[in-house]
């Protein structure tokens, strides 16, 4: 493929849908479809059927959540690589099985088309040792690979590069990627490239912020106490932390829109859920700013970050000491799927809303690995 531009199919297998995007050689979106999926798995044959209807495809890129210690950049998909990823399933049980199933399904549908796995953990390979190292026994760290890996890296990289295009290069940036999964990333710039300096997710995607059904940070003694003293099965505790915690555990719903609606009419559990969610978010943003030695830009992205103006406003209201201030009119009228500056004019730190485009980062990584000439890099450059 050396010297060629390529049409790239991007497959993003999430916990409730499989997102299918086809980009032409200039990164224009040719096809966009979301396949309903039960725990990340569409109906048998649905992905193969969808792929078969798209016409010419030169390469496939897959989002994979966990690359462990081995995969620190994009790699070609083959049997050995899939076997290696199978071994990481326990570390990302909501995400790894759907991604593996999608890779196998598209390989079967497109056996002669090269496929590349792109990893959410790879962007965080630059984490300094102080940020990535847990204070646990050395054997755990060296033999078992216990460390902070970080996730949502593809989304964080996109947001960081958009900040450089919209607000200028080299800015100390905190990205708040908020959706059913949520994480923060402190981004610094080294030799004109964005680097992850700190992040809230850890060894698994369960750590950090309160999420739709995941607990976020928790005293590590709690699961042990539940198993050893209360007598719950380890599998039961694990499932509860992944699927029955977060907004579900606090308010009974994983849908932030439903939780906000219930909070508006004063439903106590929903009010508490929103307050807990915001408390963790504000504290995390401040911690990320501390890792950077200050803050120039805060970015909201992800389904909740892009659409919940009320939550953006309430989060920033508690962060004025960092120089942040949101303009109510700009915030409330921020159009969907459009990058927007919602800062009060003249505020010391800017607040942006950035529409997540992981597929463009994946397509770029696919072309680079395969030796194909990437389409114009102007995808990052559109002005506000």
């Amino acid at each position: 493929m050396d010297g060629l531009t390529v049409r790239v199919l991007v497959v993003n297998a999430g916990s409730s849908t499989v997102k299918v995007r086809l980009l032409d050689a200039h990164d224009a979106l040719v096809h966009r479809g979301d396949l309903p999926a039960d725990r990340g798995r569409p109906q048998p044959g649905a992905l193969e059927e969808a792929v078969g209807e798209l016409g010419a495809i030169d390469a496939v890129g897959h989002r994979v959540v966990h690359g462990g210690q081995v995969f620190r950049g994009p790699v070609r998909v083959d049997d050995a690589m899939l076997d290696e990823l199978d071994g990481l399933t326990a570390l990302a049980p909501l995400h790894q099985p759907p991604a593996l199933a999608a890779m196998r399904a598209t390989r079967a549908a497109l056996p002669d088309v090269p496929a590349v796995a792109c990893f959410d953990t790879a962007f965080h390979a630059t984490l300094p040792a102080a940020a990535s190292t847990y204070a646990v026994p050395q054997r755990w760290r060296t033999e078992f690979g216990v460390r902070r890996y970080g996730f949502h890296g593809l989304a964080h990289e996109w947001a960081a590069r958009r900040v450089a295009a919209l607000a200028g290069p080299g800015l100390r940036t905190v990205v708040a990627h908020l959706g059913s999964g949520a994480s923060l990333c402190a981004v610094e710039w080294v030799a004109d490239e964005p680097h992850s300096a700190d992040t809230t997710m850890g060894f698994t995607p369960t750590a950090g912020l309160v999420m739709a059904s995941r607990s976020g940070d928790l005293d590590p003694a709690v699961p042990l106490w539940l198993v050893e003293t209360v007598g719950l099965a380890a599998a039961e505790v694990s499932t509860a932390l992944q699927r029955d915690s977060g907004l579900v555990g606090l308010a009974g719903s994983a849908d932030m829109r439903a939780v906000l609606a219930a909070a508006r009419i004063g439903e106590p559990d929903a009010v508490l859920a929103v307050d807990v969610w915001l408390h963790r978010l504000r504290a995390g943003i401040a911690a990320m700013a501390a890792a950077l030695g200050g803050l120039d830009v805060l970015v909201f992205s992800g389904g909740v970050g892009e659409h919940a103006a009320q939550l953006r406003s309430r989060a920033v209201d508690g962060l004025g000491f960092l120089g942040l201030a949101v303009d109510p009119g700009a915030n409330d009228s921020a159009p969907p799927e459009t990058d927007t500056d919602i800062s009060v004019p003249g505020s010391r730190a800017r607040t942006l809303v950035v529409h997540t485009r992981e597929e463009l980062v994946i397509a770029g990584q696919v072309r680079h690995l395969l030796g194909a000439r990437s389409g114009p890099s102007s995808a990052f450059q559109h002005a506000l």
Side-chain angles (χ1 to χ4, degrees), residues 126 170 188-195:
T126 58
E188 61 185 1
W189 288 78
V190 179
D192 296 326
E193 286 295 313
H195 283 221

Side-chain angles (χ1 to χ4, degrees), residues 210-213 243-260 262 267-274:
V210 173
M211 291 169 258
S213 66
R243 301 186 183 278
D244 302 319
S245 298
L247 295 178
V248 172
L250 292 169
S253 174
D255 189 336
M256 179 59 88
R257 293 166 297 185
V259 175
L260 286 172
E267 203 284 316
D269 287 346
V271 171
L272 176 63
V274 174

Side-chain angles (χ1 to χ4, degrees), residues 99-113:
L100 287 162
M103 283 187 276
R104 291 181 169 118
T106 53
R107 285 185 85 201
L110 302 168
D112 299 322
V113 175

Side-chain angles (χ1 to χ4, degrees), residues 11-317:
V11 181
N12 183 342
S15 57
S16 59
T17 61
V18 176
K19 298 176 183 178
V20 178
R21 307 286 188 266
L22 182 61
L23 303 173
D24 71 10
H26 302 286
D27 281 336
L29 192 60
V30 176
H31 172 84
R32 173 178 181 169
D34 292 348
L35 303 178
D38 179 15
R39 296 190 177 183
R41 297 177 184 270
Q43 291 294 316
L47 181 56
E48 294 89 334
E49 181 180 352
V51 168
E53 296 173 351
L54 295 179
I57 296 171
D58 301 308
V60 182
H62 293 272
R63 177 196 173 210
V64 181
V65 165
H66 212 312
Q69 298 190 91
V70 176
F71 302 111
R72 298 166 66 89
V75 296
R76 289 284 293 264
V77 176
D78 58 28
D79 290 338
M81 174 267 204
L82 290 172
D83 289 343
E84 185 84 30
L85 288 183
D86 270 323
L88 297 173
T89 295
L91 301 184
L94 297 183
H95 303 90
Q96 211 79 346
L100 287 162
M103 283 187 276
R104 291 181 169 118
T106 53
R107 285 185 85 201
L110 302 168
D112 299 322
V113 175
V116 175
C118 302
F119 298 92
D120 267 329
T121 46
F123 183 65
H124 302 292
T126 58
L127 282 173
S132 66
T133 304
Y134 288 124
V136 296
Q138 184 178 20
R139 185 186 178 206
W140 295 12
R141 292 181 275 118
T142 57
E143 186 175 339
F144 306 140
V146 174
R147 55 161 287 166
R148 183 182 303 279
Y149 286 101
F151 301 91
H152 291 137
L154 297 164
H156 288 309
E157 179 178 352
W158 168 260
R161 292 188 184 279
R162 285 294 289 145
V163 166
L166 301 173
L171 297 176
R172 296 168 298 180
T173 301
V174 172
V175 181
H177 183 75
L178 309 174
S180 58
S183 70
L184 302 171
C185 183
V187 180
E188 61 185 1
W189 288 78
V190 179
D192 296 326
E193 286 295 313
H195 283 221
S196 174
D198 203 355
T199 189
T200 52
M201 283 182 168
F203 184 61
T204 75
T206 308
L209 303 176
V210 173
M211 291 169 258
S213 66
R214 283 169 269 171
S215 64
D217 283 347
L218 181 71
D219 184 334
V222 171
L224 296 175
W225 178 80
L226 290 170
V227 172
E228 296 173 353
T229 303
V230 177
L232 299 184
E236 180 182 359
V237 174
S238 176
T239 298
L241 293 176
Q242 297 281 342
R243 301 186 183 278
D244 302 319
S245 298
L247 295 178
V248 172
L250 292 169
S253 174
D255 189 336
M256 179 59 88
R257 293 166 297 185
V259 175
L260 286 172
R264 280 193 292 270
I265 61 174
E267 203 284 316
D269 287 346
V271 171
L272 176 63
V274 174
D275 287 345
V276 172
W277 190 91
L278 284 166
H279 177 81
R280 295 281 190 89
L281 176 61
R282 290 191 199 101
I285 292 170
M288 294 298 106
L292 295 171
L295 180 66
D296 299 311
V297 180
L298 171 64
V299 180
F300 288 100
S301 69
V304 175
E306 293 168 30
H307 296 102
Q310 172 192 345
L311 294 176
R312 294 194 298 259
S313 177
R314 290 185 62 184
V316 172
D317 281 348

